[in-house]
Amino acid sequence: MCHGWVKLIIRMDRKKVFRFSPLHGEMAQKLLKPILPDYVKEDTIVFYDVGKIALRSDAVLKIFEALGFPYNLGIVGYILPKKWRDGGYRWVAKQRYRYGRRYNSCPLPPEEWKDRFI
């Protein structure tokens, strides 16, 4: 499911502002370790923007916001209590192998997307 979402965000990101890194990769560890010393589970999406971090449903809403119109209309999700949003996020995360394809390792991106990964 993660791979599918990364592909979708790359396609929607016309300004090419998003960069991606695996949570256990060197860059993510360097940026996140000082801010999030605790282990971040593989089912957690992290949105990092100049020292600020959003997790789970907050990260999804930050992504919508950063993508611009019409995707930023998704920020209406902020009207729901965080507890509900994160509950929905966790439910989808638990079901991810039912709805998404499972890989033994992260697939390599196509050549034209290589600059989007750190």
Short mmCIF file of all heavy atoms in Angstrom, two decimals, residues 12-67:
data_model
loop_
_atom_site.label_atom_id
_atom_site.label_comp_id
_atom_site.label_asym_id
_atom_site.label_seq_id
_atom_site.Cartn_x
_atom_site.Cartn_y
_atom_site.Cartn_z
N MET A 12 0.48 13.24 -8.47
CA MET A 12 -0.31 14.42 -8.14
C MET A 12 0.56 15.66 -7.88
O MET A 12 0.08 16.78 -7.97
CB MET A 12 -1.18 14.15 -6.90
CG MET A 12 -2.26 13.12 -7.16
SD MET A 12 -3.43 12.91 -5.78
CE MET A 12 -2.41 12.46 -4.41
N ASP A 13 1.83 15.44 -7.57
CA ASP A 13 2.75 16.51 -7.17
C ASP A 13 3.37 17.17 -8.40
O ASP A 13 4.51 16.91 -8.77
CB ASP A 13 3.84 15.93 -6.26
CG ASP A 13 4.82 16.96 -5.77
OD1 ASP A 13 4.51 18.16 -5.79
OD2 ASP A 13 5.92 16.54 -5.36
N ARG A 14 2.63 18.05 -9.03
CA ARG A 14 3.08 18.69 -10.28
C ARG A 14 4.27 19.63 -10.05
O ARG A 14 5.07 19.85 -10.95
CB ARG A 14 1.93 19.45 -10.92
CG ARG A 14 0.84 18.52 -11.40
CD ARG A 14 -0.25 19.27 -12.14
NE ARG A 14 -1.38 18.39 -12.35
CZ ARG A 14 -2.54 18.49 -11.72
NH1 ARG A 14 -2.73 19.45 -10.86
NH2 ARG A 14 -3.51 17.64 -11.96
N LYS A 15 4.39 20.20 -8.86
CA LYS A 15 5.48 21.13 -8.56
C LYS A 15 6.75 20.40 -8.10
O LYS A 15 7.77 21.04 -7.86
CB LYS A 15 5.04 22.13 -7.49
CG LYS A 15 3.92 23.03 -7.96
CD LYS A 15 3.49 23.97 -6.85
CE LYS A 15 2.30 24.80 -7.29
NZ LYS A 15 1.81 25.64 -6.20
N LYS A 16 6.66 19.10 -7.93
CA LYS A 16 7.78 18.26 -7.51
C LYS A 16 8.40 18.73 -6.18
O LYS A 16 9.60 18.87 -6.05
CB LYS A 16 8.84 18.18 -8.60
CG LYS A 16 8.34 17.53 -9.86
CD LYS A 16 9.44 17.34 -10.86
CE LYS A 16 8.90 16.60 -12.06
NZ LYS A 16 9.94 16.23 -12.99
N VAL A 17 7.55 18.97 -5.20
CA VAL A 17 8.04 19.41 -3.90
C VAL A 17 8.30 18.24 -2.94
O VAL A 17 9.05 18.38 -1.99
CB VAL A 17 7.08 20.42 -3.23
CG1 VAL A 17 6.98 21.70 -4.04
CG2 VAL A 17 5.71 19.83 -3.02
N PHE A 18 7.67 17.09 -3.20
CA PHE A 18 7.82 15.96 -2.29
C PHE A 18 9.07 15.14 -2.60
O PHE A 18 9.39 14.90 -3.76
CB PHE A 18 6.59 15.03 -2.37
CG PHE A 18 5.40 15.57 -1.65
CD1 PHE A 18 4.46 16.32 -2.31
CD2 PHE A 18 5.23 15.34 -0.30
CE1 PHE A 18 3.36 16.84 -1.66
CE2 PHE A 18 4.14 15.85 0.37
CZ PHE A 18 3.20 16.60 -0.31
N ARG A 19 9.75 14.73 -1.52
CA ARG A 19 10.87 13.80 -1.61
C ARG A 19 10.54 12.66 -0.66
O ARG A 19 9.93 12.86 0.40
CB ARG A 19 12.19 14.46 -1.18
CG ARG A 19 12.60 15.64 -2.02
CD ARG A 19 13.00 15.21 -3.42
NE ARG A 19 13.41 16.32 -4.25
CZ ARG A 19 12.60 17.00 -5.07
NH1 ARG A 19 11.34 16.68 -5.14
NH2 ARG A 19 13.05 17.98 -5.81
N PHE A 20 10.97 11.47 -1.01
CA PHE A 20 10.61 10.28 -0.24
C PHE A 20 11.85 9.57 0.26
O PHE A 20 12.88 9.55 -0.41
CB PHE A 20 9.79 9.32 -1.12
CG PHE A 20 8.53 9.95 -1.64
CD1 PHE A 20 8.53 10.64 -2.84
CD2 PHE A 20 7.36 9.87 -0.92
CE1 PHE A 20 7.39 11.24 -3.32
CE2 PHE A 20 6.20 10.46 -1.39
CZ PHE A 20 6.22 11.15 -2.60
N SER A 21 11.71 8.98 1.44
CA SER A 21 12.80 8.21 2.04
C SER A 21 12.18 7.10 2.87
O SER A 21 11.19 7.33 3.58
CB SER A 21 13.65 9.11 2.93
OG SER A 21 14.63 8.36 3.60
N PRO A 22 12.75 5.90 2.81
CA PRO A 22 12.24 4.84 3.69
C PRO A 22 12.50 5.22 5.14
O PRO A 22 13.50 5.84 5.46
CB PRO A 22 13.01 3.60 3.28
CG PRO A 22 14.12 4.05 2.42
CD PRO A 22 13.84 5.44 1.97
N LEU A 23 11.59 4.84 6.04
CA LEU A 23 11.74 5.19 7.45
C LEU A 23 13.02 4.65 8.07
O LEU A 23 13.56 5.23 9.00
CB LEU A 23 10.54 4.68 8.25
CG LEU A 23 9.26 5.48 8.10
CD1 LEU A 23 8.13 4.81 8.87
CD2 LEU A 23 9.45 6.90 8.56
N HIS A 24 13.49 3.53 7.55
CA HIS A 24 14.71 2.94 8.11
C HIS A 24 15.95 3.31 7.30
O HIS A 24 17.02 2.80 7.56
CB HIS A 24 14.56 1.42 8.19
CG HIS A 24 13.42 1.02 9.08
ND1 HIS A 24 13.42 1.25 10.43
CD2 HIS A 24 12.21 0.46 8.80
CE1 HIS A 24 12.28 0.83 10.95
NE2 HIS A 24 11.53 0.35 9.97
N GLY A 25 15.78 4.22 6.34
CA GLY A 25 16.90 4.67 5.53
C GLY A 25 17.77 5.66 6.28
O GLY A 25 17.38 6.24 7.30
N GLU A 26 18.94 5.90 5.74
CA GLU A 26 19.93 6.78 6.39
C GLU A 26 19.40 8.21 6.55
O GLU A 26 19.54 8.81 7.62
CB GLU A 26 21.20 6.79 5.53
CG GLU A 26 22.34 7.56 6.14
CD GLU A 26 23.58 7.50 5.26
OE1 GLU A 26 23.83 6.45 4.64
OE2 GLU A 26 24.29 8.51 5.22
N MET A 27 18.81 8.77 5.51
CA MET A 27 18.33 10.15 5.58
C MET A 27 17.19 10.30 6.61
O MET A 27 17.19 11.23 7.40
CB MET A 27 17.85 10.61 4.21
CG MET A 27 17.34 12.04 4.19
SD MET A 27 18.54 13.28 4.72
CE MET A 27 19.63 13.29 3.33
N ALA A 28 16.24 9.39 6.58
CA ALA A 28 15.13 9.48 7.54
C ALA A 28 15.65 9.35 8.97
O ALA A 28 15.21 10.10 9.85
CB ALA A 28 14.10 8.40 7.24
N GLN A 29 16.58 8.45 9.19
CA GLN A 29 17.13 8.30 10.54
C GLN A 29 17.85 9.57 10.98
O GLN A 29 17.72 10.00 12.12
CB GLN A 29 18.09 7.10 10.58
CG GLN A 29 17.39 5.76 10.45
CD GLN A 29 16.41 5.51 11.58
OE1 GLN A 29 16.73 5.67 12.74
NE2 GLN A 29 15.20 5.12 11.22
N LYS A 30 18.59 10.18 10.08
CA LYS A 30 19.33 11.41 10.40
C LYS A 30 18.37 12.55 10.75
O LYS A 30 18.60 13.29 11.71
CB LYS A 30 20.20 11.80 9.20
CG LYS A 30 20.99 13.05 9.38
CD LYS A 30 21.79 13.35 8.13
CE LYS A 30 22.40 14.72 8.19
NZ LYS A 30 23.08 15.07 6.94
N LEU A 31 17.29 12.68 9.99
CA LEU A 31 16.35 13.78 10.23
C LEU A 31 15.39 13.50 11.38
O LEU A 31 15.04 14.40 12.15
CB LEU A 31 15.53 14.04 8.96
CG LEU A 31 16.27 14.61 7.77
CD1 LEU A 31 15.35 14.65 6.55
CD2 LEU A 31 16.80 16.00 8.07
N LEU A 32 14.94 12.25 11.51
CA LEU A 32 13.89 11.94 12.47
C LEU A 32 14.39 11.57 13.86
O LEU A 32 13.70 11.79 14.84
CB LEU A 32 13.01 10.81 11.94
CG LEU A 32 12.30 11.08 10.62
CD1 LEU A 32 11.50 9.86 10.19
CD2 LEU A 32 11.40 12.30 10.73
N LYS A 33 15.56 10.97 13.94
CA LYS A 33 16.07 10.47 15.23
C LYS A 33 16.09 11.56 16.31
O LYS A 33 15.64 11.32 17.43
CB LYS A 33 17.45 9.85 15.03
CG LYS A 33 17.86 8.93 16.13
CD LYS A 33 17.09 7.65 16.03
CE LYS A 33 17.79 6.57 16.80
NZ LYS A 33 16.96 5.39 16.92
N PRO A 34 16.60 12.77 16.01
CA PRO A 34 16.61 13.81 17.05
C PRO A 34 15.20 14.26 17.47
O PRO A 34 14.98 14.66 18.61
CB PRO A 34 17.34 14.98 16.41
CG PRO A 34 18.05 14.42 15.24
CD PRO A 34 17.29 13.22 14.80
N ILE A 35 14.25 14.19 16.56
CA ILE A 35 12.90 14.67 16.84
C ILE A 35 12.02 13.56 17.38
O ILE A 35 11.20 13.77 18.27
CB ILE A 35 12.27 15.28 15.57
CG1 ILE A 35 13.17 16.40 15.04
CG2 ILE A 35 10.88 15.81 15.84
CD1 ILE A 35 12.82 16.85 13.64
N LEU A 36 12.17 12.36 16.80
CA LEU A 36 11.38 11.19 17.20
C LEU A 36 12.32 10.07 17.65
O LEU A 36 12.60 9.16 16.87
CB LEU A 36 10.56 10.66 16.01
CG LEU A 36 9.34 11.41 15.57
CD1 LEU A 36 8.77 10.80 14.31
CD2 LEU A 36 8.29 11.42 16.65
N PRO A 37 12.81 10.14 18.86
CA PRO A 37 13.78 9.13 19.28
C PRO A 37 13.19 7.72 19.37
O PRO A 37 13.89 6.74 19.23
CB PRO A 37 14.25 9.61 20.64
CG PRO A 37 13.21 10.57 21.11
CD PRO A 37 12.54 11.12 19.90
N ASP A 38 11.87 7.63 19.55
CA ASP A 38 11.23 6.32 19.63
C ASP A 38 11.07 5.74 18.23
O ASP A 38 10.96 6.46 17.24
CB ASP A 38 9.86 6.42 20.31
CG ASP A 38 9.97 6.87 21.74
OD1 ASP A 38 11.01 6.58 22.37
OD2 ASP A 38 9.04 7.53 22.23
N TYR A 39 11.01 4.45 18.16
CA TYR A 39 10.84 3.75 16.91
C TYR A 39 9.52 4.10 16.25
O TYR A 39 8.48 4.13 16.89
CB TYR A 39 10.91 2.24 17.17
CG TYR A 39 10.61 1.39 15.98
CD1 TYR A 39 11.54 1.21 14.97
CD2 TYR A 39 9.37 0.76 15.85
CE1 TYR A 39 11.25 0.43 13.88
CE2 TYR A 39 9.08 -0.03 14.77
CZ TYR A 39 10.02 -0.19 13.78
OH TYR A 39 9.74 -0.95 12.69
N VAL A 40 9.56 4.40 14.97
CA VAL A 40 8.35 4.65 14.20
C VAL A 40 8.03 3.37 13.45
O VAL A 40 8.84 2.86 12.70
CB VAL A 40 8.55 5.82 13.21
CG1 VAL A 40 7.31 6.00 12.35
CG2 VAL A 40 8.86 7.10 13.96
N LYS A 41 6.83 2.86 13.64
CA LYS A 41 6.45 1.59 13.01
C LYS A 41 6.31 1.74 11.51
O LYS A 41 6.03 2.82 11.00
CB LYS A 41 5.14 1.10 13.61
CG LYS A 41 5.25 0.73 15.06
CD LYS A 41 3.92 0.21 15.56
CE LYS A 41 4.04 -0.15 17.03
NZ LYS A 41 2.79 -0.69 17.55
N GLU A 42 6.45 0.63 10.81
CA GLU A 42 6.38 0.65 9.35
C GLU A 42 5.00 1.02 8.83
O GLU A 42 4.85 1.38 7.67
CB GLU A 42 6.80 -0.70 8.77
CG GLU A 42 5.83 -1.81 9.06
CD GLU A 42 6.21 -3.12 8.41
OE1 GLU A 42 7.36 -3.28 8.01
OE2 GLU A 42 5.34 -3.98 8.32
N ASP A 43 4.00 0.97 9.66
CA ASP A 43 2.66 1.33 9.21
C ASP A 43 2.34 2.80 9.48
O ASP A 43 1.18 3.20 9.46
CB ASP A 43 1.60 0.43 9.86
CG ASP A 43 1.53 0.59 11.37
OD1 ASP A 43 2.38 1.30 11.96
OD2 ASP A 43 0.63 0.00 11.99
N THR A 44 3.36 3.60 9.73
CA THR A 44 3.18 5.01 10.05
C THR A 44 3.72 5.89 8.94
O THR A 44 4.89 5.76 8.56
CB THR A 44 3.90 5.37 11.37
OG1 THR A 44 3.41 4.52 12.41
CG2 THR A 44 3.68 6.81 11.74
N ILE A 45 2.90 6.78 8.43
CA ILE A 45 3.36 7.75 7.45
C ILE A 45 3.88 8.96 8.22
O ILE A 45 3.29 9.38 9.22
CB ILE A 45 2.24 8.13 6.46
CG1 ILE A 45 2.78 9.02 5.36
CG2 ILE A 45 1.09 8.79 7.16
CD1 ILE A 45 1.79 9.25 4.22
N VAL A 46 5.01 9.49 7.76
CA VAL A 46 5.62 10.64 8.41
C VAL A 46 5.75 11.76 7.37
O VAL A 46 6.27 11.53 6.28
CB VAL A 46 7.02 10.30 8.97
CG1 VAL A 46 7.68 11.52 9.58
CG2 VAL A 46 6.94 9.17 9.98
N PHE A 47 5.28 12.93 7.73
CA PHE A 47 5.44 14.12 6.89
C PHE A 47 6.42 15.02 7.60
O PHE A 47 6.19 15.45 8.73
CB PHE A 47 4.10 14.82 6.71
CG PHE A 47 4.16 16.06 5.86
CD1 PHE A 47 4.07 15.97 4.48
CD2 PHE A 47 4.29 17.30 6.44
CE1 PHE A 47 4.11 17.12 3.70
CE2 PHE A 47 4.34 18.45 5.67
CZ PHE A 47 4.25 18.36 4.29
N TYR A 48 7.55 15.30 6.95
CA TYR A 48 8.61 16.13 7.54
C TYR A 48 8.72 17.41 6.73
O TYR A 48 8.84 17.37 5.50
CB TYR A 48 9.93 15.36 7.51
CG TYR A 48 11.11 16.17 8.01
CD1 TYR A 48 11.43 16.20 9.36
CD2 TYR A 48 11.90 16.91 7.14
CE1 TYR A 48 12.49 16.95 9.83
CE2 TYR A 48 12.97 17.65 7.60
CZ TYR A 48 13.26 17.67 8.94
OH TYR A 48 14.32 18.41 9.40
N ASP A 49 8.71 18.55 7.43
CA ASP A 49 8.87 19.84 6.76
C ASP A 49 9.68 20.76 7.65
O ASP A 49 9.17 21.29 8.63
CB ASP A 49 7.50 20.44 6.45
CG ASP A 49 7.59 21.73 5.64
OD1 ASP A 49 8.62 21.96 4.97
OD2 ASP A 49 6.63 22.51 5.69
N VAL A 50 10.94 20.91 7.32
CA VAL A 50 11.87 21.80 8.01
C VAL A 50 11.76 21.69 9.54
O VAL A 50 11.41 22.63 10.22
CB VAL A 50 11.68 23.28 7.57
CG1 VAL A 50 12.84 24.14 8.04
CG2 VAL A 50 11.53 23.39 6.07
N GLY A 51 12.03 20.50 10.04
CA GLY A 51 12.05 20.28 11.47
C GLY A 51 10.72 19.99 12.11
O GLY A 51 10.65 19.69 13.29
N LYS A 52 9.64 20.11 11.37
CA LYS A 52 8.31 19.83 11.90
C LYS A 52 7.85 18.48 11.36
O LYS A 52 8.03 18.18 10.18
CB LYS A 52 7.31 20.90 11.49
CG LYS A 52 7.63 22.27 12.07
CD LYS A 52 6.63 23.28 11.58
CE LYS A 52 7.04 24.68 12.03
NZ LYS A 52 6.20 25.69 11.41
N ILE A 53 7.24 17.70 12.23
CA ILE A 53 6.81 16.36 11.85
C ILE A 53 5.32 16.19 12.11
O ILE A 53 4.80 16.65 13.12
CB ILE A 53 7.59 15.29 12.64
CG1 ILE A 53 9.02 15.25 12.15
CG2 ILE A 53 6.95 13.93 12.51
CD1 ILE A 53 9.87 14.22 12.85
N ALA A 54 4.66 15.54 11.16
CA ALA A 54 3.26 15.14 11.34
C ALA A 54 3.21 13.64 11.11
O ALA A 54 3.90 13.11 10.24
CB ALA A 54 2.36 15.87 10.36
N LEU A 55 2.41 12.94 11.91
CA LEU A 55 2.28 11.49 11.81
C LEU A 55 0.84 11.10 11.51
O LEU A 55 -0.09 11.82 11.82
CB LEU A 55 2.69 10.83 13.13
CG LEU A 55 4.09 11.09 13.63
CD1 LEU A 55 4.27 10.51 15.03
CD2 LEU A 55 5.12 10.51 12.69
N ARG A 56 0.71 9.94 10.90
CA ARG A 56 -0.57 9.29 10.64
C ARG A 56 -1.56 10.23 9.93
O ARG A 56 -1.25 10.75 8.87
CB ARG A 56 -1.13 8.70 11.91
CG ARG A 56 -0.22 7.64 12.50
CD ARG A 56 -0.74 7.10 13.83
NE ARG A 56 0.29 6.33 14.50
CZ ARG A 56 1.20 6.85 15.32
NH1 ARG A 56 1.18 8.11 15.62
NH2 ARG A 56 2.13 6.07 15.86
N SER A 57 -2.75 10.44 10.49
CA SER A 57 -3.77 11.23 9.79
C SER A 57 -3.33 12.68 9.63
O SER A 57 -3.66 13.32 8.63
CB SER A 57 -5.11 11.16 10.53
OG SER A 57 -5.05 11.78 11.79
N ASP A 58 -2.58 13.22 10.57
CA ASP A 58 -2.07 14.59 10.42
C ASP A 58 -1.13 14.67 9.21
O ASP A 58 -1.15 15.65 8.46
CB ASP A 58 -1.32 15.04 11.67
CG ASP A 58 -2.24 15.40 12.82
OD1 ASP A 58 -3.43 15.67 12.58
OD2 ASP A 58 -1.76 15.41 13.98
N ALA A 59 -0.33 13.63 8.99
CA ALA A 59 0.58 13.60 7.84
C ALA A 59 -0.21 13.56 6.54
O ALA A 59 0.13 14.26 5.58
CB ALA A 59 1.52 12.40 7.94
N VAL A 60 -1.26 12.77 6.50
CA VAL A 60 -2.09 12.67 5.30
C VAL A 60 -2.70 14.04 4.98
O VAL A 60 -2.67 14.49 3.83
CB VAL A 60 -3.19 11.60 5.48
CG1 VAL A 60 -4.18 11.65 4.32
CG2 VAL A 60 -2.58 10.22 5.61
N LEU A 61 -3.20 14.73 6.00
CA LEU A 61 -3.81 16.04 5.78
C LEU A 61 -2.76 17.07 5.35
O LEU A 61 -3.04 17.93 4.51
CB LEU A 61 -4.56 16.49 7.04
CG LEU A 61 -5.79 15.65 7.37
CD1 LEU A 61 -6.38 16.07 8.71
CD2 LEU A 61 -6.83 15.71 6.28
N LYS A 62 -1.55 16.99 5.89
CA LYS A 62 -0.48 17.89 5.47
C LYS A 62 -0.11 17.65 4.01
O LYS A 62 0.20 18.59 3.27
CB LYS A 62 0.76 17.71 6.35
CG LYS A 62 0.60 18.20 7.77
CD LYS A 62 0.62 19.71 7.79
CE LYS A 62 0.58 20.21 9.22
NZ LYS A 62 0.45 21.65 9.29
N ILE A 63 -0.14 16.39 3.59
CA ILE A 63 0.14 16.07 2.19
C ILE A 63 -0.93 16.69 1.29
O ILE A 63 -0.60 17.33 0.29
CB ILE A 63 0.24 14.54 1.99
CG1 ILE A 63 1.50 14.01 2.66
CG2 ILE A 63 0.22 14.18 0.50
CD1 ILE A 63 1.55 12.50 2.80
N PHE A 64 -2.21 16.50 1.65
CA PHE A 64 -3.29 17.12 0.89
C PHE A 64 -3.07 18.63 0.77
O PHE A 64 -3.20 19.21 -0.30
CB PHE A 64 -4.65 16.87 1.53
CG PHE A 64 -5.20 15.49 1.37
CD1 PHE A 64 -6.05 14.96 2.32
CD2 PHE A 64 -4.88 14.70 0.28
CE1 PHE A 64 -6.59 13.69 2.17
CE2 PHE A 64 -5.41 13.43 0.12
CZ PHE A 64 -6.26 12.93 1.07
N GLU A 65 -2.75 19.24 1.90
CA GLU A 65 -2.55 20.69 1.93
C GLU A 65 -1.41 21.11 1.01
O GLU A 65 -1.54 22.07 0.25
CB GLU A 65 -2.26 21.10 3.38
CG GLU A 65 -2.26 22.57 3.62
CD GLU A 65 -2.10 22.89 5.10
OE1 GLU A 65 -2.13 21.99 5.96
OE2 GLU A 65 -1.92 24.08 5.39
N ALA A 66 -0.30 20.39 1.05
CA ALA A 66 0.87 20.74 0.25
C ALA A 66 0.68 20.50 -1.24
O ALA A 66 1.32 21.15 -2.06
CB ALA A 66 2.08 19.95 0.75
N LEU A 67 -0.22 19.59 -1.60
CA LEU A 67 -0.45 19.29 -3.02
C LEU A 67 -1.21 20.40 -3.73
O LEU A 67 -1.18 20.49 -4.96
CB LEU A 67 -1.20 17.97 -3.18
CG LEU A 67 -0.38 16.72 -2.95
CD1 LEU A 67 -1.29 15.50 -2.90
CD2 LEU A 67 0.69 16.56 -4.03
#
